[in-house]
Amino acid sequence: MIFSIVIYSAPYTTQSASTALHFSKTLIGEGHKIYRLFFYSDGVHNASSLTIAPQDEKSLQAEWDTLIKVNKLDSVVCVSSALKRGVLSNEEAQRQGLTGHSLRDSSEISGLGQFIDAYIHSDRVISFG
Amino acid sequence: MDSLRFDTEGYLKDLDAWNENVALEIAKQENIQLTPAHWEIIKLTRSFYARHQLSPATRALVSLIKRELGPKKGRSVYLMKLFSGTPAKIVSKVSGLPKPDNCI
Amino acid sequence: MTKPKKMFTFISRQAPYGKDRARLCLDAALAATVFEQKVNYVFSDDGVYQLLKQQNGGSIGSKTLGSALEALDLYGIEDVFVNEASLRQRNLNSEHLLIKTIPVTNIQLANLILKSDYVINL
Amino acid sequence: MTTLHTISKGPSSKLLESCLSIARENDALLFIEDGVYYSSELASESSIPKHQLLFTLEEDIIARGLQHSILNKFETINYRKFVELCTFHEKVINWF
């Protein structure tokens, strides 16, 4: 079956990003397809590259990154959520004249159209927040 | 274009700085010669923003024009003829409003 | 041949301003209208507080959500429902509301969800 | 045609009440994250109806030390079964 996953919450603040990650891994393990990961609202922090986890805790951002790359997933952060929260791609940062960037290269910035498109092209959309 | 006043896409940074001369300036950048037909739309768009705090998507703009100016003008082709291919973006830009949120 | 329209139903259950959920729900629904799909909008639970008149987000440096809701019809979202039980529990009736809404019972809501292809529950 | 509802917050959230007001009798309910307290006899209030298919997520139960207090009417499931439930029911509505 074709799934899309929407993540509304930042890692660590609530459990839901971790649940979403676990669920996504299981989906793939069970042979299902993920059409898109969509990070909305505080969920965009899951795609941040400027994070450091303590040695004895998991880095959710790194785990997402690996999952996306290994399985070649389409991963989108909502543009209006991301820019407001400082999750910027290199391209976007340059356009705005900012010196740093903070979006992992496994995700791309796009609009809410991609959110609606995910519903239209998936058998199931599962939301975590 | 002056990067202090406009962002990289040509949208006005300080929305309060808008006036008719600024609109003429932005329109020139977009290769649009503003006519009374354009001003009519700009006025409506700005009143929409003042009321709803949203930069209208094309669909909303078309319904608004239809309601206020009649069905002959209330069509997306009419808007496209005046403001080129992606009218919602251009109209918002010329009208001194933020870029519409739902652009894809 | 054009594809048959799919039905989206957005259920907005949170009060405005305190959290971003109400705004997220609205923004997503407006995005759905671009795809020329059927879009229903439902206010339920604390979401009915979004419909109160005389909101002014400016006093807390925020946009006024109610003003944006007044544009729903211009975006082609005409089927706007309100959970009448949620209204009743909060001592509200249609006179308190900013826009015209269709009152629905829980059973009608359950049926609407059943008919919908996609349900976004925020 | 049935729906799977996931509930991911504990009793103080009133999420279950909202869910039950529009869930249908043959829908399934799955409790995850803090929602698993609903499936425990340690929950102070339990308004769980008898006629629903009720599931609760094992990993979240173990994390919270609830493994010996799960009410009989709940089936404890793992993530694989969570995925399977999502495919079995035509619709999934997440309450969070």
Side-chain angles (χ1 to χ4, degrees), chain B residues 18-86:
Chain B
W18 187 91
N19 58 41
E20 295 194 355
N21 287 328
V22 175
L24 285 168
E25 198 182 334
I26 302 170
K28 202 175 151 202
Q29 284 289 328
E30 298 290 337
N31 295 315
I32 296 169
Q33 184 77 45
L34 294 183
T35 65
H38 292 90
W39 286 111
E40 193 174 52
I41 305 296
I42 292 169
K43 224 178 114 191
L44 260 187
T45 307
R46 287 186 59 85
S47 72
F48 177 95
Y49 183 82
R51 171 143 184 235
H52 301 298
Q53 301 183 8
L54 283 171
S55 290
T58 305
R59 180 180 190 142
L61 205 49
V62 170
S63 334
L64 181 71
I65 294 166
K66 197 168 171 181
R67 195 178 73 192
E68 302 293 323
L69 306 174
K72 233 174 112 186
K73 294 178 176 176
R75 295 161 61 219
S76 52
V77 281
Y78 178 74
L79 262 184
M80 271 145 75
K81 215 158 55 190
L82 290 174
F83 291 96
S84 87
T86 47

Side-chain angles (χ1 to χ4, degrees), chain C residues 7-113:
Chain C
M7 187 190 276
F8 277 85
T9 296
F10 292 84
I11 308 174
S12 192
R13 296 184 293 106
Q14 302 265 355
Y17 307 111
K19 280 198 223 174
D20 66 349
R21 285 280 176 82
R23 190 81 212 187
L24 299 178
C25 193
L26 176 66
D27 287 346
L30 298 184
T33 64
V34 177
F35 287 75
E36 304 287 328
Q37 312 284 327
K38 172 88 186 86
V39 178
N40 299 312
Y41 210 82
V42 180
F43 296 94
S44 188
D45 299 306
D46 280 351
V48 300
Y49 290 133
Q50 295 171 37
L51 293 165
L52 289 180
K53 289 177 183 166
Q54 293 188 314
Q55 294 172 45
N56 183 359
S59 72
I60 53 166
S62 172
K63 283 191 177 188
T64 302
L65 186 79
S67 304
L69 294 176
E70 288 180 295
L72 280 173
D73 61 337
L74 288 173
Y75 279 80
I77 303 178
E78 278 150 7
D79 290 318
V80 182
F81 302 94
V82 63
N83 183 334
E84 61 177 22
S86 304
L87 282 183
R88 213 170 334 119
Q89 286 155 6
R90 289 163 184 79
N91 300 316
L92 293 170
N93 60 52
S94 57
E95 281 170 28
H96 295 100
L97 308 184
L98 192 63
I99 54 172
K100 223 178 105 216
T101 51
I102 305 158
V104 283
T105 63
N106 285 327
I107 293 166
Q108 288 171 315
L109 214 47
N111 286 330
L112 182 70
I113 290 168

Side-chain angles (χ1 to χ4, degrees), chain A residues 8 40-41 85 112-113 115-117 119-120 122 129, chain C residues 8 20-21 24 27-28 31-32 35 37 118 120 122:
Chain A
Y8 290 87
Y40 197 11
S41 184
R85 288 170 177 81
L112 273 172
F115 172 91
I116 300 300
D117 174 83
Y119 276 86
I120 294 173
S122 306
Chain C
F8 277 85
D20 66 349
R21 285 280 176 82
L24 299 178
D27 287 346
F35 287 75
Q37 312 284 327
Y118 315 113
I120 288 98
L122 287 171

